[in-house]
Amino acid sequence: MSQPAMINRYRWYELVGIYAGIFVFLTFILAPFVEGFLVSLKPLALLFSSPYRFWPENGSFEAYRTMWISVPGFARYIFNSFFISTIVTAVVLVLVVPSAYAFARFTFRGSGALLAAFLAVNMFSGAVLLIPLFRLMRSFGVLNTYFAMIVPGVAFLIPSAIWLLRTYMMRIPRELDEAAFVDGASHFYTLRRVILPIAMPGITVVAITTFIGSYAQQFIFALTFNSKSEYMPLPIGLYAYFGRQEVVWNELMAASFVGIAPAVVLIFLMQRYLVAGLTAGAVKQ
């Protein structure tokens, strides 16, 4: 008689503990989003009423309508963020794919130090490098343009992307490269025709994480390198809801949910590839 699978050997109280832990974890993760959505449904006058009511009374989607009136260029801010993140992701992939392949397949002098330097770059906050970056952008004449946010975004996201994709490519058997070389293929041909199709799940993960990282880090660069509203990204549009006397919290929350909708839709559409990329290589080929 065959033994039951290990996954089916949990006792009832173990299953209760597992699901209870998952429930607590999801509660802490999702509670801020649920509360933010409920705040967007409340009238501004009732947000700080006492006693505090979690579920909104007389809730409506009025804030989702008035937010466009409060910040007329909000649609442009969303487009700018999506455009900047898309360009940053494309440039990062073009640079990272061959770089990750080189670090995964070749051993050359200084490769370890170079990888360590890439890792060290992520330890620096963007605020520390604002003045050097500002001087660099001014010398190239790209202030008040999209390039002023694209270039720093690419620079800060390349190191983590190289580490992530290099780890994935190292799991691809080297025998595939050797078989291609025996047939007379060059390194570039091997990368393009052999490695890339297999590495697509990992590349997809890098693309999604890069897009999200670029979408989230635009505030400080836009505030420093741009003064024209037509180039401002979403975080600057959200900052416009902070008035001198008060913060329009319900419209701010409504604008936040509308602003992150493109990223959420992208993740939803790509979740199958994201899960495949994260789990690929978990077992030995």
Side-chain angles (χ1 to χ4, degrees), residues 177-198:
D177 302 62
E178 295 171 357
F181 296 152
V182 169
D183 292 335
S186 64
H187 290 295
F188 178 76
Y189 185 91
T190 303
L191 171 62
R192 184 164 58 93
R193 291 299 183 91
V194 178
I195 302 300
L196 280 185
I198 302 175

Side-chain angles (χ1 to χ4, degrees), residues 107-180:
T107 302
F108 51 91
R109 180 176 299 179
S111 60
L114 194 56
L115 284 171
F118 286 153
L119 190 62
V121 169
N122 287 341
M123 299 180 183
F124 285 91
S125 170
V128 178
L129 302 175
L130 279 181
I131 294 178
L133 285 174
F134 180 84
R135 293 172 62 89
L136 184 64
M137 297 297 165
R138 186 176 60 181
S139 64
F140 282 106
V142 296
L143 292 177
N144 299 319
T145 66
Y146 286 123
F147 291 102
M149 289 167 288
I150 292 174
V151 173
V154 170
F156 278 97
L157 292 172
I158 278 180
S160 57
I162 288 179
W163 271 91
L164 183 60
L165 191 55
R166 169 185 172 269
T167 303
Y168 186 90
M169 285 187 173
M170 289 179 67
R171 294 170 178 165
I172 299 176
R174 289 179 177 269
E175 288 78 7
L176 297 176
D177 302 62
E178 295 171 357

Side-chain angles (χ1 to χ4, degrees), residues 42 44 74 132 135 181 232-233 242 245 254 269:
K42 297 178 182 179
L44 185 61
F74 191 75
R135 293 172 62 89
F181 296 152
M232 291 298 185
F242 287 80
Q245 302 298 328
L269 295 176

Side-chain angles (χ1 to χ4, degrees), residues 2-285:
S2 60
Q3 293 291 329
M6 287 294 294
I7 196 171
N8 296 325
R9 294 182 182 180
Y10 292 113
R11 305 285 186 178
W12 68 267
Y13 53 86
E14 293 176 329
L15 290 175
V16 170
I18 291 173
Y19 285 110
I22 294 174
F23 176 79
V24 172
F25 175 76
L26 291 178
T27 299
F28 278 99
I29 294 296
L30 298 178
F33 295 95
V34 174
E35 174 65 10
F37 177 71
L38 294 179
V39 166
S40 70
L41 302 180
K42 297 178 182 179
L44 185 61
L46 299 180
L47 289 181
F48 301 100
S49 60
S50 182
Y52 180 77
R53 299 180 183 273
F54 181 75
W55 190 258
E57 293 186 357
N58 302 322
S60 69
F61 289 91
E62 181 66 17
Y64 288 85
R65 185 185 67 84
T66 58
M67 53 166 264
W68 302 100
I69 303 174
S70 301
V71 182
F74 191 75
R76 178 73 182 188
Y77 294 138
I78 297 177
F79 169 79
N80 288 341
S81 279
F82 195 84
F83 176 76
I84 293 169
S85 299
T86 301
I87 299 300
V88 167
T89 302
V91 174
V92 167
L93 289 180
V94 170
L95 298 176
V96 162
V97 169
S99 301
Y101 176 72
F103 280 110
R105 286 296 191 259
F106 308 123
T107 302
F108 51 91
R109 180 176 299 179
S111 60
L114 194 56
L115 284 171
F118 286 153
L119 190 62
V121 169
N122 287 341
M123 299 180 183
F124 285 91
S125 170
V128 178
L129 302 175
L130 279 181
I131 294 178
L133 285 174
F134 180 84
R135 293 172 62 89
L136 184 64
M137 297 297 165
R138 186 176 60 181
S139 64
F140 282 106
V142 296
L143 292 177
N144 299 319
T145 66
Y146 286 123
F147 291 102
M149 289 167 288
I150 292 174
V151 173
V154 170
F156 278 97
L157 292 172
I158 278 180
S160 57
I162 288 179
W163 271 91
L164 183 60
L165 191 55
R166 169 185 172 269
T167 303
Y168 186 90
M169 285 187 173
M170 289 179 67
R171 294 170 178 165
I172 299 176
R174 289 179 177 269
E175 288 78 7
L176 297 176
D177 302 62
E178 295 171 357
F181 296 152
V182 169
D183 292 335
S186 64
H187 290 295
F188 178 76
Y189 185 91
T190 303
L191 171 62
R192 184 164 58 93
R193 291 299 183 91
V194 178
I195 302 300
L196 280 185
I198 302 175
M200 282 308 299
I203 294 174
T204 303
V205 172
V206 172
I208 294 175
T209 55
T210 301
F211 183 90
I212 295 174
S214 176
Y215 207 81
Q217 71 170 12
Q218 297 166 355
F219 178 78
I220 191 171
F221 296 140
L223 201 63
T224 306
F225 306 140
N226 259 311
S227 59
K228 296 182 178 181
S229 59
E230 58 264 33
Y231 299 118
M232 291 298 185
L234 174 64
I236 301 299
L238 296 178
Y239 189 67
Y241 291 97
F242 287 80
R244 293 185 177 182
Q245 302 298 328
E246 65 177 357
V247 180
V248 190
W249 287 109
N250 55 349
E251 294 183 8
L252 175 61
M253 291 296 103
S256 299
F257 280 95
V258 172
I260 66 175
V264 173
V265 171
L266 176 66
I267 295 174
F268 178 79
L269 295 176
M270 303 295 291
Q271 61 179 337
R272 180 179 64 178
Y273 305 100
L274 180 62
V275 173
L278 291 174
T279 57
V283 294
K284 189 173 182 180
Q285 300 287 334

